[in-house]
């Protein structure tokens, strides 16, 4: 089975711009979660989608949003980028019933 | 609410020595516990998990962990370290109807020849 894929792998944006990151889960997985990883804050939960519905949301501003499509693929969007948004954004998929999550390689976002 | 504390942000061992990475958790519901490993410039790879049942859990690459409810701990061990084990290790907890993972700050494992 193919693993979780994320595109793009690297991205450089300017403050004020917006960005969209994409995640394709493992085939058959209906839950997709997003995490932000930074040296200072570590791994922080952004949100989780299951069957196109946001089921859980972390403590991030409204500039961070996401969605899930009927094929379980997910996108997250960050608007009005700030320097502090520079991070590794990780997507994880699971069957959705509290089981293990499988992570993609991440998208490294740099905001200048 | 759930939280994870990993004792020691950096652990250094010699090749062939015992690896012990410590994790304590807090959870208001029966926890699901996980250990993940992250190599440089990569995502997280699941090493092992505890959900219910046997408290000693075996994972990949010779790692194992023991769930101790009375101590709220889930320490990761490996009898003999290998150079390829050098990486950052994360303990995580989830539970109840909240499927999000709450991670510890991570422990960087260095293996010396």
């Amino acid at each position: 089975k193919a693993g979780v894929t994320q595109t793009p792998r690297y991205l450089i944006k300017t403050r004020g711009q917006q960005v969209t990151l994409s995640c394709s889960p493992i085939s058959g997985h209906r839950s997709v979660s997003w995490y932000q990883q930074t040296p200072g804050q570590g791994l922080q939960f952004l949100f989780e989608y299951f069957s196109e519905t946001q089921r859980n949301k972390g403590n991030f501003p409204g500039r961070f949003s996401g969605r899930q499509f009927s094929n379980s693929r997910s996108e997250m969007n960050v608007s009005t980028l700030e320097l502090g948004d520079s991070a590794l954004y990780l997507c994880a998929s699971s069957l959705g019933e509290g089981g293990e999550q499988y992570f993609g390689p991440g998208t490294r976002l740099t905001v200048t | 609410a759930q939280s994870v504390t990993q004792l020691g942000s950096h652990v250094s061992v010699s090749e062939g020595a015992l690896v012990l990475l410590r994790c304590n958790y807090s959870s208001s519901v029966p926890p699901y516990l996980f250990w993940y490993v992250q190599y440089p410039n990569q995502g997280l790879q699941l090493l092992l998990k505890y959900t219910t049942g046997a408290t000693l859990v075996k994972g990949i690459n010779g790692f194992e962990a023991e769930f101790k409810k009375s101590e709220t701990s889930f320490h990761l061990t490996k009898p003999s370290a290998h150079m390829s084990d050098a990486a950052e290790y994360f303990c995580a907890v989830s539970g109840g109807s909240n499927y999000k993972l709450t991670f510890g700050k991570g422990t960087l494992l260095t293996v010396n020849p």
Side-chain angles (χ1 to χ4, degrees), chain B residues 24-38:
Chain B
N24 288 88
Y25 70 91
S26 172
S27 178
S28 56
V29 297
Y32 289 179
L33 294 158
F34 307 85
W35 275 99
Y36 285 87
V37 61
Q38 186 176 34

Side-chain angles (χ1 to χ4, degrees), chain B residues 2 4 7-8 10 25-30 41 53 56-57 59 61 66 70 74 82-84 88-90 96 99 104:
Chain B
Q2 296 166 316
V4 173
L7 298 173
H10 188 191
Y25 70 91
S26 172
S27 178
S28 56
V29 297
N41 298 315
L56 182 61
V57 179
N61 301 338
E66 187 171 10
S70 61
F74 190 58
H82 192 271
M83 296 295 289
S84 61
E88 190 155 24
Y89 292 78
F90 293 92
Y99 302 133

Side-chain angles (χ1 to χ4, degrees), chain A residues 48-60:
Chain A
E48 185 237 357
Y49 287 86
F50 182 82
S51 293
E52 302 179 66
T53 300
Q54 187 181 86
R55 204 163 54 169
N56 288 298
K57 189 177 190 304
N59 189 26
F60 278 81

